[in-house]
Amino acid sequence: MKKVSDILTYFIKELNSSYLDNREITSICYIVIEYYLNLNKSETIIYKDNIIHSDHLIKLKEVVKDLKKGMPIQYILSETHFNNLNLKVNENVLIPRSETEELV
């Protein structure tokens, strides 16, 4: 994994046995890319040939390692989005569900 385009392939390869659906892996991957590389989904495609800095590579591999342990992505990144807000979360709080956001 050296280029932005390699990230999704890496995530799917590494997490395929931990998740039932590749769509979930893809969704998580784009969340991670936006968090660490500050690229949205469109920019990920546009800048697919950009080289990933070694510090980011280390972080991405750590995320995959934690995901394999079953840790939710919100706890790994220490934040979640809820009702147009960024909320800080950790393992001591419940992660808000999308259904709760609909009720609000």
Side-chain angles (χ1 to χ4, degrees):
M1 177 175 58
K2 294 181 182 178
K3 296 191 286 185
V4 171
S5 61
D6 299 332
I7 298 172
L8 182 57
T9 305
Y10 174 74
F11 267 63
I12 290 172
K13 178 182 164 236
E14 291 295 317
L15 298 171
N16 202 24
S17 62
S18 301
Y19 290 83
L20 298 175
D21 188 359
N22 280 352
R23 290 177 294 181
E24 186 175 6
I25 298 170
T26 301
S27 178
I28 290 170
C29 182
Y30 283 119
I31 291 169
V32 172
I33 289 171
E34 187 162 2
Y35 185 83
Y36 285 109
L37 303 181
N38 202 26
L39 298 173
N40 64 34
K41 191 173 183 178
S42 300
E43 292 168 331
T44 300
I45 295 166
I46 293 168
Y47 301 113
K48 65 181 174 149
D49 292 326
N50 282 15
I51 303 297
I52 304 169
H53 191 273
S54 61
D55 291 344
H56 289 130
L57 281 174
I58 292 167
K59 291 287 187 189
L60 294 171
K61 288 179 180 180
E62 287 174 4
V63 167
V64 168
K65 184 175 151 188
D66 289 339
L67 288 168
K68 282 182 174 181
K69 294 177 186 173
M71 185 179 250
I73 190 63
Q74 295 89 343
Y75 290 162
I76 296 168
L77 302 179
S78 299
E79 72 176 30
T80 191
H81 301 287
F82 179 79
N83 205 25
N84 295 324
L85 297 170
N86 268 350
L87 300 177
K88 298 293 180 192
V89 295
N90 63 33
E91 52 279 338
N92 297 314
V93 299
L94 295 174
I95 300 166
R97 296 173 49 116
S98 56
E99 294 86 356
T100 307
E101 189 171 11
E102 290 173 16
L103 287 172
V104 172

